[in-house]
Amino acid sequence: MADSQFDLLRLTATEAARLLDEGRTTSVELVKAYLAQINAHNHSGLKLNALISVAPADTLLATARKLDQERSSGSRRSSLHGIPFVCKDVFVTHPSLGLPTTAGAPCFQSAVAKRTSPVIEHLLDMGLILIGKANLTEFCGLKTPDHTTGWSPTGGQTQSPYVFGGLEEGEKVIGHSSPGGSSSGSASAVAAGFVPLSIGTEVCNSIVTPAGRAGLYALKCSNDAVNIDGCFGFSKHLDCIGGMAKSVEDLAVLTAALMQRDSPFDLGSRRCDGFHVAFTELEGWIWPGNACSWPGETLSVIENGYTEAASKLKAMGPQVTKNVDLPAPWAEFEMEGENIFTEISLFDFVNDRLPAFISEFDTCEVRSLAEIVAYNEQNRDVCMPQGHEGQSDLTNLVETSRDGAKQKALLVEMRRRGTLALDKVLEDHDVIASIADGPLPMYAAAAGYPIACVPLGVVKYSDENERPYGLSLTAGMGQEGKLLRFMAAFESAFPSRPLPQPLLQWRDTYD
């Protein structure tokens, strides 16, 4: 049973930091409370499987005591001194932290990293406490197209804390009971009160979709804005790092830390007036029926919420353009019958990112893609259990070579198409908004621009279940500050983020 000293479903990092500064709690007490919540619902209770691994309690408590002692002696490393967080299990961590790095794959479970990835090391130096590694879609989704999002052999199926009964049998790719994209564990962990902050990675939708499904504020930074060394991913041209939190203030502090900024972001007046916002259409900009069913009134509920959000913002002062002239991107990134994102990712993965990731380990059971494929075949019962068979993406990569010159040409064309489409709108607007259950992140990924998510409402999709939905937001390269200012204004104007009813009901019943 979780510790009831804190309301962990609501507690933000900023509020926890205030309690620490005022001497009303300690980092030791915070760590104990979060560990109790994790023990109650990660593999027990609601069985959310949000975390693949949790650091040893004695290690965490020793770190927390050290940070408490520093604070009591007048030393505070940052505003996040003594605050727990989790990161997606794609960042290498030194064995001294007690956390393996698997990317969701059993072949890496026994691997021993040489170091902690620079971005995580920086957060630790700032006084944050890494409680655990978040579950994900194995290899960030690069294994077989048949796997459900949020499933990995090392972590099981990540569940949404908002859904009674978890992922429905036979659920569609991004159906309502799904927790979302590959950073699903990072989102579920924050929404479930396991930690106040988390780190994820995204190419297209891997942060935005799970954050939207978890009622969180999230921001994936611009390409090259955050150091991705020591991180599993597809392509340095596409993979970006971002944070998730329960408030914009938390997210702003975390984003500044990730970007290693010398000064915090200024969130401004938190007023909506002064912004020029472009809303895409909904038709063509929401998951199609083959990816997510829309039973009953679900689609109209989201459409109404989306339309009302644009109208409400317009009434509060911003200049709002509805149904802006921006073509849906589904077909915009096809070239000679091939998906540009896929071709760039696969070439870079085989030739750059996977070798770099494997080189981060002193010892490792696999040293190449071919050895990973062989390992999975030799350990099918663990790596490809019933219901999760297959590794066609990986075997195809072993068998098919790709042309580097073609990859470079595709990269140039991808950037051209992405920036051309977005810049045309951003000439007259500060922010482009769309429904988070849709493809705006494709344009942001193509251009290398930041993409964010804010909670908007909940949609009831069955007699028992409802889940959050939100808005995705993008702005120009390096415009994280502008996005955060708009998000802060939005947060002030719109209702509070929804809380997960299964956890509230569990707490009312058992606490």
Side-chain angles (χ1 to χ4, degrees):
M1 189 179 301
D3 193 312
S4 59
Q5 178 184 356
F6 307 100
D7 184 350
L8 297 179
L9 299 182
R10 290 185 174 86
L11 184 68
T12 67
T14 305
E15 291 165 348
R18 190 174 301 119
L19 293 176
L20 289 168
D21 288 342
E22 294 172 355
R24 295 165 59 191
T25 191
T26 64
S27 291
V28 166
E29 290 173 341
L30 282 174
V31 167
K32 287 180 177 178
Y34 285 119
L35 286 178
Q37 183 78 342
I38 291 167
N39 290 335
H41 292 295
N42 194 43
H43 298 313
S44 302
L46 296 183
K47 299 180 179 179
L48 299 177
N49 294 329
L51 301 181
I52 287 179
S53 58
V54 180
D58 56 352
T59 300
L60 291 172
L61 292 172
T63 299
R65 279 192 291 271
K66 178 183 177 183
L67 291 167
D68 283 336
Q69 290 167 359
E70 290 180 11
R71 184 185 296 274
S72 63
S73 65
S75 175
R76 193 183 71 152
R77 302 186 191 183
S78 72
S79 62
L80 293 175
H81 183 107
I83 300 296
F85 77 107
V86 299
C87 66
K88 187 176 182 178
D89 193 9
V90 293
F91 298 91
V92 295
T93 47
H94 190 270
S96 62
L97 295 175
L99 295 165
T101 305
T102 72
C107 62
F108 291 116
Q109 276 187 299
S110 62
V112 178
K114 301 174 184 176
R115 61 169 181 167
T116 295
S117 63
V119 65
I120 301 302
E121 188 68 46
H122 177 67
L123 296 179
L124 298 176
D125 289 343
M126 291 180 67
L128 282 89
I129 302 171
L130 181 60
I131 277 191
K133 298 280 194 73
N135 201 2
L136 68 155
T137 314
E138 184 184 10
F139 288 137
C140 299
L142 183 63
K143 186 180 182 184
T144 170
D146 300 325
H147 281 181
T148 54
T149 56
W151 180 83
S152 72
T154 57
Q157 176 62 56
T158 306
Q159 304 290 357
S160 167
Y162 289 85
V163 175
F164 289 98
L167 187 73
E168 294 178 0
E169 186 175 353
E171 181 61 278
K172 292 190 175 182
V173 176
I174 198 66
H176 296 290
S177 66
S178 169
S182 74
S183 297
S184 54
S186 299
S188 290
V190 174
F194 290 0
V195 282
L197 302 170
S198 68
I199 313 298
T201 61
E202 170 169 321
V203 170
C204 295
N205 290 98
S206 294
I207 287 175
V208 168
T209 299
R213 295 292 177 96
L216 299 177
Y217 297 91
L219 175 57
K220 182 201 83 170
C221 299
S222 302
N223 189 255
D224 290 333
V226 181
N227 189 343
I228 63 170
D229 290 349
C231 175
F232 176 91
F234 297 163
S235 168
K236 64 183 179 182
H237 306 295
L238 287 166
D239 284 284
C240 299
I241 293 170
M244 305 184 196
K246 299 189 188 80
S247 74
V248 178
E249 187 173 8
D250 278 13
L251 185 63
V253 175
L254 179 58
T255 302
L258 291 172
M259 295 175 66
Q260 300 191 31
R261 284 172 56 94
D262 293 331
S263 59
F265 285 103
D266 180 3
L267 296 181
S269 65
R270 305 193 187 221
R271 291 172 54 87
C272 293
D273 55 329
F275 286 99
H276 293 202
V277 186
F279 278 75
T280 70
E281 297 183 72
L282 262 184
E283 185 176 353
W285 283 89
I286 196 165
W287 300 127
N290 63 348
C292 180
S293 300
W294 299 100
E297 301 298 315
T298 51
L299 191 55
S300 62
V301 167
I302 289 181
E303 287 176 344
N304 290 339
Y306 183 70
T307 302
E308 289 170 6
S311 298
K312 182 176 179 179
L313 278 173
K314 189 170 185 178
M316 298 179 71
Q319 294 186 33
V320 173
T321 302
K322 298 181 182 180
N323 300 326
V324 69
D325 183 18
L326 182 66
W330 305 109
E332 294 296 309
F333 298 101
E334 299 290 326
M335 187 173 175
E336 298 178 359
E338 297 176 331
N339 182 278
I340 293 178
F341 292 117
T342 300
E343 292 305 307
I344 291 173
S345 294
L346 296 184
F347 180 89
D348 288 353
F349 175 75
V350 171
N351 293 284
D352 179 23
R353 295 302 299 282
L354 181 61
F357 181 71
I358 292 175
S359 72
E360 292 285 346
F361 299 106
D362 269 327
T363 60
C364 186
E365 293 190 63
V366 293
R367 285 293 176 185
S368 68
L369 180 59
E371 290 185 13
I372 292 173
V373 170
Y375 183 99
N376 291 341
E377 289 292 346
Q378 294 162 9
N379 299 275
R380 293 186 66 89
D381 57 333
V382 173
C383 301
M384 297 182 285
Q386 185 175 359
H388 297 281
E389 300 90 344
Q391 55 174 338
S392 58
D393 290 343
L394 300 181
T395 55
N396 289 340
L397 281 174
V398 171
E399 296 166 1
T400 306
S401 61
R402 282 175 163 77
D403 183 354
K406 181 180 179 181
Q407 187 266 359
K408 291 179 182 178
L410 288 172
L411 177 61
V412 170
E413 184 61 16
M414 178 190 72
R415 289 282 189 250
R416 187 191 72 80
R417 294 185 186 187
T419 56
L420 183 67
L422 293 182
D423 288 354
K424 182 180 177 181
V425 179
L426 291 170
E427 284 180 3
D428 302 313
H429 301 87
D430 299 299
V431 174
I432 301 172
S434 191
I435 199 71
D437 279 287
L440 184 60
M442 291 177 67
Y443 271 127
Y449 292 177
I451 186 95
C453 178
V454 293
L456 185 57
V458 295
V459 58
K460 189 172 180 63
Y461 66 90
S462 70
D463 290 340
E464 184 181 36
N465 273 316
E466 62 184 22
R467 56 90 174 171
Y469 69 95
L471 294 180
S472 56
L473 310 165
T474 192
M477 178 69 80
Q479 295 296 314
E480 286 84 0
K482 181 182 289 184
L483 277 176
L484 286 164
R485 287 192 297 276
F486 177 74
M487 294 168 74
F490 184 94
E491 181 184 31
S492 297
F494 283 79
S496 301
R497 55 177 296 273
L499 296 178
Q501 291 301 314
L503 279 164
L504 290 173
Q505 182 173 304
W506 182 282
R507 188 170 66 185
D508 292 342
T509 302
Y510 296 101
D511 281 7

